[in-house]
Amino acid sequence: MPLKLTPSRRDFLRTGAAVGAMGAMAPLASKVAFAQTPLVVGFIYVGPRDDYGYNQAHAEAAALLKELPDITIVEEENVPETVAVQRSMESMINLDGASLMFPTSFGYFDPHMLAMAARYPDVQFRHCGGLWQEGVHPANTGSYFGYIGMGQYLNGVIAGHMSRTKRIGFVAAKPIPQVLLNVNSFALGARSVDPSIQCQVIFTGEWSMAVREAEATNALIDQRADVITMHVDGPKVVVETAAGRGAYVCGYHANQSPLAPELYLTGAEWNWVEVYRTFVAAAQAGEPLPNFVRGGLAEGFVKMSPYGPAVTEAAIANAEAVKAEILAGGYSVIKGPLADNTGVERVPAGTAYVETAIELESMDYLVEGVLGSTS
Amino acid sequence: MVQLVHEGGGALGAPPGTTGRSTMEWLVRRAESVVIPLGAVLVGLALFGVFLLIVRWDSSRSLGAALDEVWTAFELMYTGGFGTAFSIQNTLSRAAPLLLAALCVALPARLGLVVIGGEGAIVLGGLAAAVAANVFNGAPGFVGIPAMAIAGAIAGGLWIGAIGALRHYRGVNETIASLLMAYIAIALLNHFVEGPLRDPASLNKPSTAPIADNFWVGPIPGMDVHWGLIVGIVGCVLAWILIDRTTWGFSARIAGGNVRAAQIQGLPVGRLILVFTALGGAFAGLAGMFEVAAVQGSANGSLNVGYGYTGILIAFLARHNPLAIIPFGILLGGIEASNGLLQRRLGLPDASVDVLEGILFVVVLLSETLYGRFRIFNPELRGSRA
């Protein structure tokens, strides 16, 4: 996009005039003015787009979209979940003519995106992670998300084979359902290989706080953990700290193998590009966009990083066998009899939750075999 | 507070007065405190231009093209911050919490106290407002909204007032205490939001129970900016009256200039410290209240996004003059509002505006040394000493 990157003075003045005209029309400026121009898609990230994590996973997909014809991608990073994100969306709509918006952080949904969706009924908003409900939320909004717990379960299977100390570690941000499901899946995966394995979890309390992530990683390794995984926004610090101490790493969000080529085992990665392509194709064809989109490994929303050089044949064989079962459908990680780590039975025998089960979205416990507490 | 004499002369000298000559002199002296910060901002912008030239240097391009891009960046900053009706509202809505946050720094600063922990008062003010909203749930809006405001102001006032008390009674350094107590405040917020006060329905973003619909503070009529902006402006004006037009303010400035002299004069220095820190904290607490009542609808981790730290920058840019906080708050709001456009049109990283803010801060601090040095503003320098 030479025009966008290095506009000449004259280009600028022209856009400036257009922008001024749009400003006069605001807030009624809508995609009408852009009917014949490329589809403008706005992406908003809560952190840096090169964080080797959550935001990078989205930014990588956005970068692939740029190769499609008749499309302009506009992006903003480090946008907090405050009035700032409302204004960023509005600025993209008013000044850039965006008609499809992807605010990618969980906290953008309510009240920020909903407020903007009410104000700009002609713009389509699709949010990552929110729980869109028909009749409750506006029709020009929607949500998409992936079931990545199975990915952490496969991480756990590999970790179970590779751990010599029978102690694995998890650096987690906050004790919320999504994170707890990942911790439990990782632990259950490892314990499916060897039930004597214990998984220690440390919550840092913040989605992104490098100092505490490093401290937590060191603390886990000091307590003999030799395979580390994580659920924080940017896993870079955890991966580098763990590898620096000689521990194996299972990745999360994006592929972190460049940070630890020898010690990276595998990882649970988002694969958003197909999701975005679907939305963009519908928008370009003038068809209605789906409102509620979910998928896991089988649907291609989630993928595993290539196995690292350290992973043994036996581990790969086991993980691939489990993966084949998952891809076949109906696989359950959270199934009874299952007790939490205080001894209370959480899932009775005979009950099994597939990854789409609504019960998993309110998980508030750590399973037996996890060392740590949710509060 | 080297400039105490100067400020005293400016603020307390004869108002536009009896003779033409003294009016002129008064105006010229006042002009110094406008021209120097303005010049500093321009120098800061120029240095930022140099910074952009360096980070975007590409040997395949001509210098002209590179300068063109820098110019484009400034034009985009103007467009994004002030160039359209939408941009101005964007700027003002970002400035709203910053004005109140800056007062938390500026008021204690008049006593010579450097309080940098306004963030703590903001998050606790927001938390207290959310609690008040739940306590008064079911009450009419004209009861609930003031209750939230009072709760936020009290929480912020107690928090920063405690820092003043530590300073006065125990001699604890207020700068360090306020910074560290901000971390405690954030930890308290997280504890309550994720623990005892968590709304069970807020699964993946722990928050307190949402405030009732009639407790929402709407926008200012005709604008898309919440009432926190008006409260911030009124707060700045009130703070200016307090400092420049009351005996309390006069005493505070004396104590800020020379605390020993103030004590010898019998001024109540301890009480002044407590009142000014508590008042500053109350303003910051109100900023938190508006975040809950006008933006978020509940208290959660998004209260802690750094408004308190930007407030430090604004207060120093304004040289702790509450009236000057208004334009500098709007300037900083505009810089942050233009950030998105810089990212989208030029592909600049988000941190670019942080660099600009940092440069402005340093240049304005350096410009402090220029007061009283220009003969044009200081007729007494024109005498035999020159």
Side-chain angles (χ1 to χ4, degrees), chain A residues 3-9 12-13 15 19-20 23 26 49 74-88 90-92 94-96 106-107 110-112 116 119-120 129 174-179 205-207 361-362, chain B residues 56 61 68-69 71-72 75-76 79-80 83-87 89-91 93-94 186 190 194 198 203-206 216 224-226 291 295-297 300-305 307 337 339-341 343-351:
Chain A
L3 176 88
K4 292 296 176 204
L5 285 174
T6 51
S8 71
R9 276 296 301 281
F12 175 76
L13 292 175
T15 22
V19 160
R49 72 188 101 170
V74 290
E75 297 168 277
E76 273 187 49
E77 60 179 352
N78 281 330
V79 180
E81 294 164 349
T82 63
V83 75
V85 68
Q86 301 187 19
R87 295 292 166 262
S88 286
E90 232 178 341
S91 179
M92 288 174 169
N94 281 327
L95 303 185
D96 294 335
F106 186 83
D110 186 9
H112 310 300
M116 289 302 104
R119 182 171 302 169
Y120 296 97
K174 293 178 186 258
I176 60 168
Q178 240 176 57
V179 177
E206 299 288 340
W207 285 110
E361 311 228 358
S362 54
Chain B
R56 304 281 287 188
R61 279 195 309 182
D68 229 29
E69 188 185 71
W71 183 247
T72 305
E75 282 179 314
L76 284 176
T79 308
T84 72
F86 162 72
S87 301
Q89 307 203 22
N90 185 355
T91 293
S93 60
R94 287 169 199 261
I186 292 163
N190 287 342
E194 288 169 16
R198 177 173 179 172
L203 291 175
N204 282 323
K205 176 147 187 170
W216 274 85
D224 184 29
V225 182
H226 64 72
E291 282 301 294
V295 178
Q296 303 286 355
N300 56 48
S302 294
L303 282 171
N304 160 31
V305 290
Y307 293 135
N339 181 2
L341 214 51
Q343 286 190 45
R344 272 139 45 198
R345 297 282 170 82
L346 291 180
L348 286 172
D350 155 75

Side-chain angles (χ1 to χ4, degrees), chain B residues 107-108 110-111 242-243 248-249 252 272-280:
Chain B
L107 281 172
R110 297 316 284 259
L111 279 159
L242 170 70
I243 289 171
W248 272 83
L272 284 170
I273 290 179
L274 293 183
V275 168
F276 272 64
T277 48
L279 208 54

Side-chain angles (χ1 to χ4, degrees), chain A residues 347-362:
Chain A
V347 184
T351 304
Y353 297 126
V354 292
E355 63 181 357
T356 54
I358 196 75
E359 288 84 353
L360 300 182
E361 311 228 358
S362 54

Side-chain angles (χ1 to χ4, degrees), chain B residues 17-87:
Chain B
T18 45
T19 69
R21 193 193 144 103
S22 67
T23 307
M24 196 59 212
E25 202 178 303
W26 184 85
L27 272 178
V28 165
R29 281 184 182 280
R30 292 308 262 173
E32 181 178 40
S33 56
V34 175
V35 171
I36 290 184
L38 215 59
V41 167
L42 290 177
V43 169
L45 286 172
L47 287 175
F48 180 62
V50 174
F51 166 80
L52 287 181
L53 266 185
I54 294 170
V55 294
R56 304 281 287 188
W57 186 252
D58 175 356
S59 53
S60 64
R61 279 195 309 182
S62 69
L63 183 64
L67 286 172
D68 229 29
E69 188 185 71
V70 170
W71 183 247
T72 305
F74 284 121
E75 282 179 314
L76 284 176
M77 285 176 67
Y78 175 74
T79 308
F82 306 97
T84 72
F86 162 72
S87 301

Side-chain angles (χ1 to χ4, degrees), chain B residues 2-16:
Chain B
V2 188
Q3 63 277 43
L4 181 79
V5 176
H6 150 77
E7 283 181 357
L12 299 169

